[in-house]
Amino acid sequence: MKLEALIPGTDGKITNNIVRITNKAAVIELLRQSRAGISRAELAETLDVSRSTISVIVHDLLACGLVLEQGEGTSRGGRRPIVLKINRNAGRVVGIDIGANHLSAVVADLHGVVVGEMHEPLHIDAGPEECLQRVFVLVDVALSVAGSQMEQV
């Protein structure tokens, strides 16, 4: 199946912007999956895109602080590659669990490591407005416990 068929709103045409967005998302996903890090050359080879495409994407990710250079990797001939990793502290992820009897809010770094969490009883029959208000408060408290702010989410 062609990529055009998978992307709604393209009317069967792939624009350069869609290709850039797709490539950037693929690079981020590979970096996220590779806890030990990955080189630019490995990214290009794995994604089957040019090294110049990877260089442009990595430059943007380095500039916004989402990616860090973590030193030199093992050479496969030639100079040693620079290993890239997701910057775990570039943002935070919040998870919320609303049960019939409980409410939980968890804050994690970009590697998925929990850095703060809060739990409290909840009576779901209090209604959606009350429950949602409790969610907002508990998320704020969990962020505070994590030493984080909503702007990082």
Side-chain angles (χ1 to χ4, degrees):
M1 176 176 287
K2 291 189 170 205
L3 186 59
E4 294 90 343
L6 299 175
I7 302 174
T10 61
D11 297 325
K13 298 176 186 169
I14 293 293
T15 65
N16 287 339
N17 195 38
I18 291 172
V19 172
R20 274 193 297 276
I21 291 168
T22 304
N23 285 339
K24 186 180 248 183
V27 167
I28 291 169
E29 182 61 18
L30 276 176
L31 286 164
R32 192 186 67 74
Q33 290 176 7
S34 176
R35 295 290 175 132
I38 189 168
S39 71
R40 288 169 178 84
E42 290 170 311
L43 286 169
E45 183 179 316
T46 302
L47 296 175
D48 194 28
V49 297
S50 70
R51 289 183 184 213
S52 62
T53 295
I54 294 298
S55 290
V56 168
I57 293 169
V58 169
H59 179 269
D60 290 347
L61 296 174
L62 286 166
C64 74
L66 185 59
V67 171
L68 298 172
E69 293 182 330
Q70 291 293 101
E72 295 182 340
T74 304
S75 175
R76 297 187 300 184
R79 68 179 169 161
R80 295 168 58 106
I82 302 296
V83 175
L84 304 166
K85 292 180 79 172
I86 291 287
N87 178 0
R88 69 182 325 131
N89 294 313
R92 294 290 183 248
V93 177
V94 173
I96 301 164
D97 178 26
I98 303 173
N101 303 356
H102 72 276
L103 173 61
S104 299
V106 177
V107 180
D109 66 18
L110 295 184
H111 283 184
V113 175
V114 174
V115 294
E117 62 185 298
M118 293 297 299
H119 309 275
E120 67 177 43
L122 175 73
H123 298 287
I124 200 77
D125 57 355
E129 292 84 12
E130 174 66 26
C131 291
L132 191 56
Q133 188 60 40
R134 301 247 328 256
V135 167
F136 292 140
V137 170
L138 198 65
V139 166
D140 282 342
V141 173
L143 283 167
S144 180
V145 166
S148 303
Q149 299 175 349
M150 187 58 82
E151 293 77 26
Q152 293 175 280
V153 176

